[in-house]
Amino acid sequence: MPVFSAQNISFHFDNGEQLFTHLSCSMAKPRVGLVGRNGIGKSVLTSILSGEIAPSDGTVSKPSSYALYRQQDDELLTQTSSIAHYLGKETILNAIKQIEAGSCDEKWFNIVEDQWDLESKLSQQLSELGLPANPLFSCSELSGGQLARLQLWQLFESEAELLILDEPSNHLDRQAKQWLIHAMANFAGSILLVSHDRELLREVNEIWEMSQLGLQTFGGNYDTYEQLKRVELQAVERQLNNVEKTQKQLIEQAQKNKEKAEQRASQSNKSRKDGSQPKILLDGMKNSAERRLASRNKNEQLRMKHLQRKGSALRERQEQLKTQKIYLEDGQISTKKVLSLIDVTLKYGFIESLTLQVYANDKLHLKGKNGSGKSTLLKTLHGRWPVMSGEYLVNTPLYYLDQHFNVIQAQLSMLDNLMSHCNQMKESHARTLLAGIGFRRDSVFRLGSALSGGEKMKLAMLIVSHQPSQPFLLLDEPDNHLDLESKINLASALQQYQGGFILISHDHDFALESGVNRETTLG
């Protein structure tokens, strides 16, 4: 029996704008991955499926019980409450302390019941999670990755029939992600996973792809889904080639038919003038020819319209399946040393001294647990923070990009952003470059504040690759909020980038596809 099902559901906003229409789905597999571009409506869909909000149209059969994880932190976690308070265990711990202090009040014993080892048990569990072992530790002092782990752990400890996990791996380091995969595998209930993380999506039994064309189901995990998409793309391209070939043949045949009709008309006119055939016979032949021509033209027009509709549908599906490439400016290959750190101690995170030599064409994957100092290192190299001790030398222009692509100014248009960051670039050249990443005509005037994460990424990479001197890139989790297609686009662009970079990312697939050739681990 399905955990939930939905029939012909639609959703539109109060202003009448439609997000999606006539979607149907039924969750019969224990692990389902929901994928799609950012802004397509995945989070709204999960809210409808769980019963949090109602669809504009259609019906939903809700799960009997569910628990939901969203990317944003729970309000409690921004306050000074303790871990025990968040987990609902603070009252029991307080009762144990009252009894240990000598109180014999029966209410404390009623609260504790048989949970006398709760504090030591909680401490051990928190330690295994990579969290502070003290249950009374303030949530406000936890890192983003620790907060995520705490929230997820509470959900996996529940007895909900369904867990809806919306981007659970954001902010998680390698060790925490492995814990999450293990927790997913051992959870007794069903899981609907909304994610752009291919490593997590390899753990599901079925993929649902949400797009402008609706909701499509692919049996198997991410690798199967990717293979099926490749096969479908090849089939679509073959069909499109056949349609275009048939259209060309139809146009050529129509031209031949027109030329033949003109020749027959010319011969008929010649016969009229020399009187070689009776006029009544010629009129009959003319009328018959005109009827055949009209019928043929009508059939040709109908066939052409059919082919145009089919071609349009195939091109739309091709765009959905095909990954758009980002073409970057070619640079000069160089092997000079660009960064040198000798016995450096950072302001935050990494405790021991760090010695590191980086060359111009190094593509370095910087790894380490949450809080180990990875972001601190990049910000130190960029000059935002001083070193506490040691020496470091920067011998190249640097460009810092984080997960929010803050290089893009919210109040400027795409065109102005590009021209303001690339000195002496002419507007015509800027428009040509923007057209190359999919932005033409008036779309270049869209403000930075209106761009999606993927759009900001493409514009930022365009800016970076068209600097007067090719910069060495400092990339602080640039893939963290990107959808799958944008991740693949960015990885491809970095792989082609002629310069070097230091990349922080917890996505192993993304790092490999970005062309990393070195690894360094902090902590």
Side-chain angles (χ1 to χ4, degrees), residues 224-368:
T224 304
Y225 158 78
E226 189 178 37
Q227 175 63 25
L228 291 171
K229 294 259 287 185
R230 279 200 297 268
V231 171
E232 185 183 357
L233 177 59
Q234 290 168 359
V236 166
E237 288 176 341
R238 283 196 300 270
Q239 292 178 59
L240 192 54
N241 286 335
N242 289 335
V243 166
E244 291 171 348
K245 184 179 178 181
T246 304
Q247 284 178 313
K248 184 178 179 181
Q249 291 172 344
L250 193 59
I251 292 170
E252 290 174 351
Q253 187 60 49
Q255 181 61 33
K256 289 179 182 178
N257 291 337
K258 182 181 178 183
E259 290 172 358
K260 287 180 180 178
E262 288 174 348
Q263 288 172 2
R264 285 194 295 269
S266 177
Q267 290 172 356
S268 177
N269 290 334
K270 184 178 180 181
S271 297
R272 284 178 187 277
K273 289 179 180 179
D274 63 21
S276 60
Q277 295 187 50
K279 183 175 182 297
I280 189 170
L281 177 60
L282 292 173
D283 288 344
M285 292 172 62
K286 179 182 178 183
N287 292 336
S288 178
E290 287 177 347
R291 285 195 298 271
R292 287 197 304 272
L293 181 60
S295 177
R296 189 183 297 117
N297 287 342
K298 184 178 180 181
N299 289 334
E300 288 172 351
Q301 289 171 2
L302 289 173
R303 286 191 65 192
M304 186 60 77
K305 285 181 180 178
H306 171 72
L307 289 170
Q308 287 171 345
R309 285 195 297 268
K310 187 175 180 180
S312 178
L314 287 169
R315 289 186 190 91
E316 189 174 2
R317 185 57 184 158
Q318 183 186 41
E319 286 302 310
Q320 293 288 336
L321 293 166
K322 192 168 61 175
T323 300
Q324 189 181 40
K325 296 185 182 297
I326 305 173
Y327 295 96
L328 302 180
E329 189 89 340
D330 291 334
Q332 298 296 319
I333 295 177
S334 172
T335 57
K336 71 174 183 178
K337 187 186 294 182
V338 293
L339 299 172
S340 179
L341 295 90
I342 302 174
D343 293 328
V344 165
T345 302
L346 302 175
K347 187 174 182 180
Y348 302 109
F350 194 77
I351 299 173
E352 300 176 5
S353 61
L354 173 65
T355 297
L356 181 66
Q357 310 294 326
V358 182
Y359 295 85
N361 292 309
D362 279 343
K363 295 187 175 182
L364 175 66
H365 187 196
L366 187 61
K367 304 166 70 174

Side-chain angles (χ1 to χ4, degrees), residues 16 51 62 75 98 115 177 208 230 241 254 264 293 296 299 304 328-329 390-392 397 399 416 425 434 436 496 511:
K62 297 180 292 185
E75 186 178 337
Q98 293 295 331
Q115 301 185 71
K177 191 186 291 187
W208 294 354
R230 279 200 297 268
N241 286 335
R264 285 194 295 269
L293 181 60
R296 189 183 297 117
N299 289 334
M304 186 60 77
L328 302 180
E329 189 89 340
E391 298 179 5
Y392 79 98
Y399 221 96
D416 288 339
M425 179 177 286
L434 288 170
Q496 296 171 36

Side-chain angles (χ1 to χ4, degrees), residues 96-103:
I96 293 173
K97 291 194 179 299
Q98 293 295 331
I99 294 169
E100 289 175 344
S103 174

Side-chain angles (χ1 to χ4, degrees), residues 31-139:
R31 303 288 185 268
V32 173
L34 177 61
V35 302
R37 297 177 181 177
N38 287 336
I40 200 68
K42 300 186 299 295
S43 294
V44 172
L45 178 61
T46 57
S47 295
I48 291 174
L49 297 176
S50 65
E52 281 191 314
I53 61 176
S56 304
D57 296 294
T59 58
V60 177
S61 171
K62 297 180 292 185
S64 58
S65 61
Y66 75 94
L68 177 66
Y69 174 84
R70 295 275 191 221
Q71 294 182 57
Q72 60 268 27
D73 296 331
D74 189 285
E75 186 178 337
L76 283 171
L77 298 179
T78 63
Q79 300 174 3
T80 57
S81 56
S82 66
I83 293 174
H85 177 80
Y86 176 71
L87 295 174
K89 305 293 185 181
E90 192 173 50
T91 303
I92 301 172
L93 292 178
N94 180 54
I96 293 173
K97 291 194 179 299
Q98 293 295 331
I99 294 169
E100 289 175 344
S103 174
C104 296
D105 194 322
E106 186 178 354
K107 71 176 182 179
W108 302 125
F109 290 88
N110 291 335
I111 291 173
V112 175
E113 293 182 335
D114 59 349
Q115 301 185 71
W116 295 102
D117 62 343
L118 178 63
E119 184 170 5
S120 60
K121 186 178 177 181
L122 268 181
S123 295
Q124 181 181 348
Q125 290 171 324
L126 291 171
S127 180
E128 290 172 354
L129 281 169
L131 300 175
N134 178 13
L136 299 180
F137 192 88
S138 174
C139 289

Side-chain angles (χ1 to χ4, degrees), residues 32-38 40 42-43 46 69-71 152 163-172 177 180-181 184 191-204 206-210 222 225 479-488 506-507 509:
V32 173
L34 177 61
V35 302
R37 297 177 181 177
N38 287 336
I40 200 68
K42 300 186 299 295
S43 294
T46 57
Y69 174 84
R70 295 275 191 221
Q71 294 182 57
L152 288 164
L163 289 189
I164 300 176
L165 306 179
D166 193 345
E167 295 294 346
S169 61
N170 279 7
H171 308 295
L172 296 187
K177 191 186 291 187
L180 173 58
I181 290 172
M184 287 172 58
I191 296 176
L192 177 60
L193 172 70
V194 183
S195 181
H196 303 304
D197 191 315
R198 285 164 282 187
E199 195 170 1
L200 293 188
L201 291 169
R202 291 191 178 100
E203 305 300 317
V204 304
E206 191 171 82
I207 298 283
W208 294 354
E209 182 192 54
M210 194 172 179
Y222 176 79
Y225 158 78
D479 59 311
N480 206 20
H481 296 294
L482 298 181
D483 57 37
L484 265 173
E485 181 179 349
S486 297
K487 274 191 177 191
I488 294 170
H506 298 306
D507 189 324
D509 290 290

